[in-house]
PDB file of all heavy atoms in Angstrom:
ATOM      1  N   MET A 374     -16.475   3.069  -4.562  1.00  0.00           N
ATOM      2  CA  MET A 374     -17.867   3.383  -4.275  1.00  0.00           C
ATOM      3  C   MET A 374     -18.205   4.722  -4.915  1.00  0.00           C
ATOM      4  O   MET A 374     -17.314   5.467  -5.325  1.00  0.00           O
ATOM      5  CB  MET A 374     -18.106   3.437  -2.761  1.00  0.00           C
ATOM      6  CG  MET A 374     -17.208   4.427  -2.053  1.00  0.00           C
ATOM      7  SD  MET A 374     -17.394   4.441  -0.260  1.00  0.00           S
ATOM      8  CE  MET A 374     -16.644   2.892   0.190  1.00  0.00           C
ATOM      9  N   VAL A 375     -19.488   5.013  -5.023  1.00  0.00           N
ATOM     10  CA  VAL A 375     -19.927   6.283  -5.590  1.00  0.00           C
ATOM     11  C   VAL A 375     -20.158   7.259  -4.449  1.00  0.00           C
ATOM     12  O   VAL A 375     -21.102   7.112  -3.669  1.00  0.00           O
ATOM     13  CB  VAL A 375     -21.222   6.109  -6.414  1.00  0.00           C
ATOM     14  CG1 VAL A 375     -21.666   7.450  -6.994  1.00  0.00           C
ATOM     15  CG2 VAL A 375     -21.003   5.101  -7.530  1.00  0.00           C
ATOM     16  N   THR A 376     -19.294   8.244  -4.317  1.00  0.00           N
ATOM     17  CA  THR A 376     -19.396   9.207  -3.225  1.00  0.00           C
ATOM     18  C   THR A 376     -18.674  10.486  -3.603  1.00  0.00           C
ATOM     19  O   THR A 376     -17.739  10.471  -4.406  1.00  0.00           O
ATOM     20  CB  THR A 376     -18.794   8.650  -1.918  1.00  0.00           C
ATOM     21  OG1 THR A 376     -18.898   9.636  -0.890  1.00  0.00           O
ATOM     22  CG2 THR A 376     -17.332   8.269  -2.098  1.00  0.00           C
ATOM     23  N   GLU A 377     -19.108  11.590  -3.029  1.00  0.00           N
ATOM     24  CA  GLU A 377     -18.434  12.866  -3.230  1.00  0.00           C
ATOM     25  C   GLU A 377     -17.485  13.164  -2.068  1.00  0.00           C
ATOM     26  O   GLU A 377     -16.770  14.156  -2.093  1.00  0.00           O
ATOM     27  CB  GLU A 377     -19.468  13.993  -3.346  1.00  0.00           C
ATOM     28  CG  GLU A 377     -20.410  13.847  -4.532  1.00  0.00           C
ATOM     29  CD  GLU A 377     -21.437  14.965  -4.587  1.00  0.00           C
ATOM     30  OE1 GLU A 377     -21.275  15.946  -3.835  1.00  0.00           O
ATOM     31  OE2 GLU A 377     -22.386  14.857  -5.367  1.00  0.00           O
ATOM     32  N   GLN A 378     -17.499  12.331  -1.041  1.00  0.00           N
ATOM     33  CA  GLN A 378     -16.752  12.610   0.183  1.00  0.00           C
ATOM     34  C   GLN A 378     -15.524  11.705   0.287  1.00  0.00           C
ATOM     35  O   GLN A 378     -15.652  10.483   0.383  1.00  0.00           O
ATOM     36  CB  GLN A 378     -17.649  12.398   1.408  1.00  0.00           C
ATOM     37  CG  GLN A 378     -18.888  13.283   1.421  1.00  0.00           C
ATOM     38  CD  GLN A 378     -19.807  12.947   2.581  1.00  0.00           C
ATOM     39  OE1 GLN A 378     -19.958  11.792   2.954  1.00  0.00           O
ATOM     40  NE2 GLN A 378     -20.416  13.966   3.156  1.00  0.00           N
ATOM     41  N   TYR A 379     -14.351  12.327   0.294  1.00  0.00           N
ATOM     42  CA  TYR A 379     -13.132  11.536   0.451  1.00  0.00           C
ATOM     43  C   TYR A 379     -13.100  10.878   1.832  1.00  0.00           C
ATOM     44  O   TYR A 379     -12.534   9.800   2.004  1.00  0.00           O
ATOM     45  CB  TYR A 379     -11.897  12.422   0.276  1.00  0.00           C
ATOM     46  CG  TYR A 379     -10.613  11.631   0.301  1.00  0.00           C
ATOM     47  CD1 TYR A 379     -10.110  11.064  -0.854  1.00  0.00           C
ATOM     48  CD2 TYR A 379      -9.926  11.413   1.498  1.00  0.00           C
ATOM     49  CE1 TYR A 379      -8.950  10.305  -0.831  1.00  0.00           C
ATOM     50  CE2 TYR A 379      -8.771  10.661   1.530  1.00  0.00           C
ATOM     51  CZ  TYR A 379      -8.285  10.111   0.363  1.00  0.00           C
ATOM     52  OH  TYR A 379      -7.147   9.350   0.396  1.00  0.00           O
ATOM     53  N   GLU A 380     -13.735  11.508   2.810  1.00  0.00           N
ATOM     54  CA  GLU A 380     -13.750  10.953   4.166  1.00  0.00           C
ATOM     55  C   GLU A 380     -14.370   9.558   4.187  1.00  0.00           C
ATOM     56  O   GLU A 380     -14.026   8.726   5.025  1.00  0.00           O
ATOM     57  CB  GLU A 380     -14.526  11.881   5.110  1.00  0.00           C
ATOM     58  CG  GLU A 380     -13.860  13.223   5.368  1.00  0.00           C
ATOM     59  CD  GLU A 380     -14.000  14.193   4.200  1.00  0.00           C
ATOM     60  OE1 GLU A 380     -14.771  13.893   3.252  1.00  0.00           O
ATOM     61  OE2 GLU A 380     -13.334  15.238   4.231  1.00  0.00           O
ATOM     62  N   THR A 381     -15.303   9.302   3.269  1.00  0.00           N
ATOM     63  CA  THR A 381     -15.921   7.979   3.203  1.00  0.00           C
ATOM     64  C   THR A 381     -14.901   6.936   2.761  1.00  0.00           C
ATOM     65  O   THR A 381     -14.917   5.796   3.233  1.00  0.00           O
ATOM     66  CB  THR A 381     -17.121   7.991   2.232  1.00  0.00           C
ATOM     67  OG1 THR A 381     -17.968   9.098   2.551  1.00  0.00           O
ATOM     68  CG2 THR A 381     -17.923   6.713   2.342  1.00  0.00           C
ATOM     69  N   ILE A 382     -14.009   7.330   1.855  1.00  0.00           N
ATOM     70  CA  ILE A 382     -12.938   6.428   1.432  1.00  0.00           C
ATOM     71  C   ILE A 382     -12.000   6.140   2.600  1.00  0.00           C
ATOM     72  O   ILE A 382     -11.519   5.012   2.772  1.00  0.00           O
ATOM     73  CB  ILE A 382     -12.157   7.035   0.253  1.00  0.00           C
ATOM     74  CG1 ILE A 382     -13.088   7.254  -0.937  1.00  0.00           C
ATOM     75  CG2 ILE A 382     -10.991   6.142  -0.145  1.00  0.00           C
ATOM     76  CD1 ILE A 382     -13.737   5.994  -1.451  1.00  0.00           C
ATOM     77  N   GLU A 383     -11.750   7.140   3.425  1.00  0.00           N
ATOM     78  CA  GLU A 383     -10.902   6.923   4.600  1.00  0.00           C
ATOM     79  C   GLU A 383     -11.569   5.964   5.582  1.00  0.00           C
ATOM     80  O   GLU A 383     -10.899   5.127   6.204  1.00  0.00           O
ATOM     81  CB  GLU A 383     -10.597   8.261   5.270  1.00  0.00           C
ATOM     82  CG  GLU A 383      -9.728   9.168   4.413  1.00  0.00           C
ATOM     83  CD  GLU A 383      -9.456  10.516   5.046  1.00  0.00           C
ATOM     84  OE1 GLU A 383     -10.371  11.094   5.642  1.00  0.00           O
ATOM     85  OE2 GLU A 383      -8.316  10.999   4.941  1.00  0.00           O
ATOM     86  N   LEU A 384     -12.893   6.062   5.712  1.00  0.00           N
ATOM     87  CA  LEU A 384     -13.616   5.113   6.563  1.00  0.00           C
ATOM     88  C   LEU A 384     -13.525   3.702   5.986  1.00  0.00           C
ATOM     89  O   LEU A 384     -13.429   2.721   6.732  1.00  0.00           O
ATOM     90  CB  LEU A 384     -15.084   5.531   6.693  1.00  0.00           C
ATOM     91  CG  LEU A 384     -15.380   6.711   7.628  1.00  0.00           C
ATOM     92  CD1 LEU A 384     -16.847   7.117   7.516  1.00  0.00           C
ATOM     93  CD2 LEU A 384     -15.039   6.362   9.075  1.00  0.00           C
ATOM     94  N   LYS A 385     -13.555   3.601   4.661  1.00  0.00           N
ATOM     95  CA  LYS A 385     -13.416   2.291   4.016  1.00  0.00           C
ATOM     96  C   LYS A 385     -12.063   1.670   4.362  1.00  0.00           C
ATOM     97  O   LYS A 385     -11.967   0.468   4.621  1.00  0.00           O
ATOM     98  CB  LYS A 385     -13.557   2.428   2.502  1.00  0.00           C
ATOM     99  CG  LYS A 385     -13.422   1.111   1.740  1.00  0.00           C
ATOM    100  CD  LYS A 385     -13.536   1.337   0.250  1.00  0.00           C
ATOM    101  CE  LYS A 385     -13.460   0.020  -0.511  1.00  0.00           C
ATOM    102  NZ  LYS A 385     -12.142  -0.634  -0.373  1.00  0.00           N
ATOM    103  N   GLN A 386     -11.014   2.484   4.373  1.00  0.00           N
ATOM    104  CA  GLN A 386      -9.689   1.989   4.746  1.00  0.00           C
ATOM    105  C   GLN A 386      -9.689   1.490   6.192  1.00  0.00           C
ATOM    106  O   GLN A 386      -9.109   0.450   6.511  1.00  0.00           O
ATOM    107  CB  GLN A 386      -8.654   3.100   4.576  1.00  0.00           C
ATOM    108  CG  GLN A 386      -8.471   3.554   3.136  1.00  0.00           C
ATOM    109  CD  GLN A 386      -7.651   4.824   3.029  1.00  0.00           C
ATOM    110  OE1 GLN A 386      -7.122   5.321   4.007  1.00  0.00           O
ATOM    111  NE2 GLN A 386      -7.548   5.362   1.828  1.00  0.00           N
TER     112      GLN A 386
END
Side-chain angles (χ1 to χ4, degrees):
M374 57 184 72
V375 180
T376 179
E377 298 179 11
Q378 301 175 323
Y379 185 87
E380 292 76 10
T381 310
I382 299 300
E383 293 178 319
L384 284 173
K385 180 182 182 295
Q386 295 169 6

